[in-house]
Amino acid sequence: MYISSKDFSKHIGEEVAIKGWLYNKRSSGPIVFLEIRDGFSWTQAVAAKASISAEVWAEIEKATQESAIEINGKVAKHPKKENVFELQVTDLKIIQLAENYPIALKDHGPDFLMDNRHLWLRSKRQWAILRLRDAIKSAFYSYLHQENFINVDSPIFTPNACEGATTLFKIPYFDLGDAYLSQSGQLYIEAAIASVGRCYDFGPVFRAEKSKTKRHLTEFWMMDAEAAFVEHEQNLQIQENLIRFIVRWCLEHCQEELTLLERNIENLRKVDAPFKRYTYTEAIEKLHQLGSDIKFGEDLGNDDEGLLTKDSDVPVFIHKWPKSIKPFYMKRDPENAGLVLNDDLIATENGGEIIGGSQREDDFNLLSEKIQAEGLIGEEYEWYRDLRRYGSVPHSGFGVGLERVVRWISGTEHIRECIPFPRTIARLRP
Ligand code: 4AD
């Protein structure tokens, strides 16, 4: 009977078989310790020369790192560790004998590891990040459905910009001129809420970002959510509840992964409290007090975000930014025409910005003025202006960068480890 080593606790004392890969092998005279990964879990198999045949012992000696193998044995409790189980080997077959594996179990430089990303994914840390990423996606889906959002997919080929023309990827599109890879599905799901009330999309988006930071990818996964009849205050509440839900979900479902990642779990637990809020204006004042020379009207840099969150156990909203540095679709603040009703959510522990959201301009004339003022090609936004012609309502939404959230919750330094095959300004392969 083939089982996964993650289910060993249910089979103590039984003869079982597992299939997987040899991660590591250590010998101590007539005993060999094999570290096996079967994809679902990691386990130790112990082979004693005295209790197996000479042929099986020879197979064990032959097996190389990353060889695919099949092992039979008896499940036993680990002699020293509580709740840990191991396999006492009775038989081992090599399914494929791996060639000399390029990634040794020692430190390699990041470029070498990224060049071997297709193999590096098998390491413990990458395994944990892949699983955590999957859990975070499940948490998104669960929370959003619980709050009556449904999934509506948005296109990737688009004729216009959502987030400014400077980061667009352009591609020739048959006889129809140029198409651009989507920077965010927001404009399309704004159309869909007039049909279904609340919806979200979740897929890859593209930014021709020239920035070489630890937080920027050129292809990343964005979850855009949009809701009719939701205004600024409620929009912030939905974002806050979503993030708390995701963190709780990971603490509940990803204990093994978070332990492997050596994540400070206590810090994650502290996120379960009301988030802090500063208006942009307050944030600038606070930054000046903290010694920053940022000027009103400038975007916040990584250092500014770090200063604003360094003493906080919970993520911090910076809301109501100057209109001049934000996209055309954001709603003007009725109390101050120079500001918009938007927010950025900054994560703790140097996680940086994880969400950008806003109430949308629902007034036909104000929106049209903005489209014109920004020099956007009017006809490409005609369908979007239709949404303000026919049954326009107050509405809001936000976009979460999946890899930013994975980076924060996993405690990973560089975002390139938070997506299986990263694309950055300097990397297209493998
Ligand atoms: O703040 P952004 O640009 O917002 C939008 O695109 C809106 N249209 C979303 C919406 O309201 N539906 O991006 C949203 C989030 C950021 O907060 C960040 O988490 C992530 O997307 N992000 C990136 N992640 C990785 N690499 C990049 N180059 C990113 N740019 C943005």
Side-chain angles (χ1 to χ4, degrees):
M1 179 179 57
Y2 290 107
I3 64 166
S4 164
S5 57
K6 81 176 167 36
D7 296 325
F8 273 1
S9 62
K10 298 179 210 143
H11 296 275
I12 300 164
E14 291 173 27
E15 273 284 334
V16 298
I18 58 169
K19 289 181 179 179
W21 297 267
L22 178 58
Y23 187 69
N24 194 14
K25 184 165 78 173
R26 283 183 299 117
S27 358
S28 158
I31 301 200
V32 173
F33 299 93
L34 307 163
E35 197 175 356
I36 313 293
R37 43 178 208 88
D38 69 3
F40 313 101
S41 178
W42 303 70
T43 196
Q44 172 166 281
V46 187
K49 195 172 183 177
S51 51
I52 52 178
S53 69
E55 293 79 53
V56 173
W57 185 254
E59 283 289 279
I60 291 172
E61 288 199 312
K62 197 165 93 184
T64 48
Q65 185 190 353
E66 284 307 316
S67 286
I69 51 177
E70 185 180 329
I71 310 183
N72 287 65
K74 196 163 157 190
V75 178
K77 284 188 175 168
H78 191 283
K80 292 188 192 127
K81 296 182 196 157
E82 195 61 25
N83 286 326
V84 176
F85 305 91
E86 59 180 33
L87 198 63
Q88 289 163 351
V89 180
T90 51
D91 193 11
L92 182 145
K93 286 192 193 72
I94 296 174
I95 300 168
Q96 193 260 339
L97 185 67
E99 293 177 24
N100 201 5
Y101 193 62
I103 304 180
L105 298 176
K106 61 167 175 104
D107 284 345
H108 290 283
D111 284 339
F112 174 83
L113 290 171
M114 288 312 307
D115 287 344
N116 286 286
R117 182 66 175 164
H118 53 296
L119 301 176
W120 187 28
L121 287 179
R122 306 175 186 196
S123 76
K124 275 191 184 157
R125 193 177 160 80
Q126 303 309 315
W127 174 88
I129 295 175
L130 288 178
R131 289 197 166 263
L132 185 71
R133 181 182 163 107
D134 171 68
I136 292 171
K137 285 175 92 174
S138 299
F140 272 117
Y141 296 131
S142 294
Y143 175 79
L144 289 165
H145 285 119
Q146 172 192 302
E147 297 300 316
N148 292 321
F149 287 78
I150 69 156
N151 182 215
V152 172
D153 297 315
S154 55
I156 284 177
F157 285 135
T158 59
N160 53 2
C162 179
E163 294 300 316
T166 52
T167 62
L168 280 174
F169 278 107
K170 189 159 85 173
I171 22 181
Y173 197 82
F174 305 105
D175 296 333
L176 300 181
D178 289 323
Y180 304 95
L181 297 182
S182 175
Q183 299 164 308
S184 155
Q186 177 201 321
L187 307 187
Y188 292 94
I189 61 166
E190 276 189 65
I193 55 162
S195 170
V196 299
R198 290 180 167 202
C199 63
Y200 68 93
D201 65 12
F202 202 167
V205 293
F206 306 86
R207 305 257 170 117
E209 297 269 10
K210 297 259 159 58
S211 19
K212 275 193 190 163
T213 77
K214 293 175 180 167
R215 298 176 186 177
H216 285 90
L217 293 163
T218 52
E219 174 179 325
F220 62 97
W221 277 61
M222 169 115 76
M223 195 285 299
D224 295 285
E226 200 69 28
F229 307 107
V230 163
E231 302 197 33
H232 180 63
E233 172 61 35
Q234 199 185 351
N235 192 28
L236 299 195
Q237 236 2 282
I238 294 172
Q239 293 168 50
E240 181 168 335
N241 291 341
L242 166 70
I243 296 301
R244 269 207 296 267
F245 185 96
I246 293 174
V247 171
R248 256 185 242 147
W249 181 284
C250 292
L251 286 169
E252 192 184 328
H253 294 91
C254 302
Q255 284 165 8
E256 186 180 356
E257 290 81 357
L258 292 169
T259 308
L260 252 175
L261 293 163
E262 296 174 348
R263 182 64 168 97
N264 183 327
I265 292 197
E266 277 319 303
N267 286 354
L268 281 181
R269 287 216 171 90
K270 290 185 192 151
V271 170
D272 210 346
F275 290 3
K276 278 194 191 146
R277 285 186 194 184
Y278 300 123
T279 62
Y280 172 87
T281 311
E282 288 165 349
I284 296 294
E285 278 164 20
K286 193 166 167 65
L287 285 169
H288 286 163
Q289 286 159 14
L290 293 168
S292 163
D293 57 5
I294 188 168
K295 294 185 192 60
F296 190 94
E298 287 178 354
D299 204 354
L300 303 186
N302 288 350
D303 293 347
D304 304 310
E305 290 177 356
L307 283 173
L308 290 170
T309 47
K310 76 176 164 54
D311 296 325
S312 182
D313 288 338
V314 289
V316 178
F317 280 112
I318 315 291
H319 67 137
K320 300 191 178 176
W321 289 56
K323 189 173 73 177
S324 55
I325 51 167
K326 287 293 168 185
F328 70 96
Y329 54 73
M330 293 184 177
K331 187 175 177 63
R332 202 177 274 194
D333 180 354
E335 287 166 15
N336 183 337
L339 306 178
V340 284
L341 296 177
N342 77 314
D343 66 275
D344 279 1
L345 182 64
I346 318 295
T348 52
E349 300 175 88
N350 262 320
E353 181 199 325
I354 51 173
I355 301 188
S358 65
Q359 185 168 343
R360 319 306 189 185
E361 186 53 78
D362 49 308
D363 180 272
F364 180 83
N365 293 326
L366 291 177
L367 180 73
S368 304
E369 269 171 34
K370 273 299 268 179
I371 290 177
Q372 210 171 17
E374 296 209 4
L376 299 169
I377 306 161
E379 62 205 73
E380 294 299 358
Y381 293 88
E382 215 29 51
W383 68 267
Y384 185 67
R385 293 205 306 157
D386 267 354
L387 308 179
R388 276 66 176 169
R389 283 190 180 102
Y390 308 111
S392 185
V393 297
H395 65 286
S396 304
F398 57 92
V400 193
L402 174 62
E403 293 74 16
R404 295 273 180 99
V405 176
V406 174
R407 176 176 177 267
W408 171 49
I409 297 184
S410 64
T412 301
E413 172 81 12
H414 205 298
I415 196 164
R416 66 187 164 210
E417 287 182 49
C418 301
I419 183 163
F421 293 96
R423 302 292 178 242
T424 62
I425 184 169
R427 181 161 296 277
L428 182 61
R429 298 187 172 80

